[in-house]
Amino acid sequence: MEGVVFTDYETVKTAIEQKSTKTWLTVIDRLNLQDYTNVIKINKEDINKKRITYHPKISELNYRI
């Protein structure tokens, strides 16, 4: 299922169900419809830049605080 664009839950579920491993790993899919409205907003001036570590190749997409 290479090159498939996951546009909806059913496409993802089908892709998961078609996968298997040599050790008989079982994968369970679950749709989480919980609403995450408690977002913490931080002022950019308050961020301590010394505490951020960036990925060496894709730093704009992957970092850890």
Side-chain angles (χ1 to χ4, degrees), residues 13-62:
K13 185 175 179 177
T14 302
I16 290 172
E17 290 172 348
Q18 292 178 354
K19 297 297 175 189
S20 62
T21 66
K22 293 178 183 178
T23 58
W24 298 100
L25 173 69
T26 302
V27 179
I28 300 170
D29 62 285
R30 182 181 71 197
L31 181 61
N32 184 357
L33 296 175
Q34 182 175 352
D35 186 19
Y36 294 97
T37 57
N38 296 332
V39 177
I40 299 173
K41 300 214 178 199
I42 299 175
N43 190 349
K44 289 190 177 188
E45 288 82 32
D46 294 339
I47 297 175
N48 184 352
K49 305 251 185 218
K50 294 177 184 175
R51 296 183 60 201
I52 301 174
T53 53
Y54 295 94
H55 189 276
K57 293 184 181 176
I58 50 172
S59 59
E60 67 276 0
L61 299 176
N62 197 349

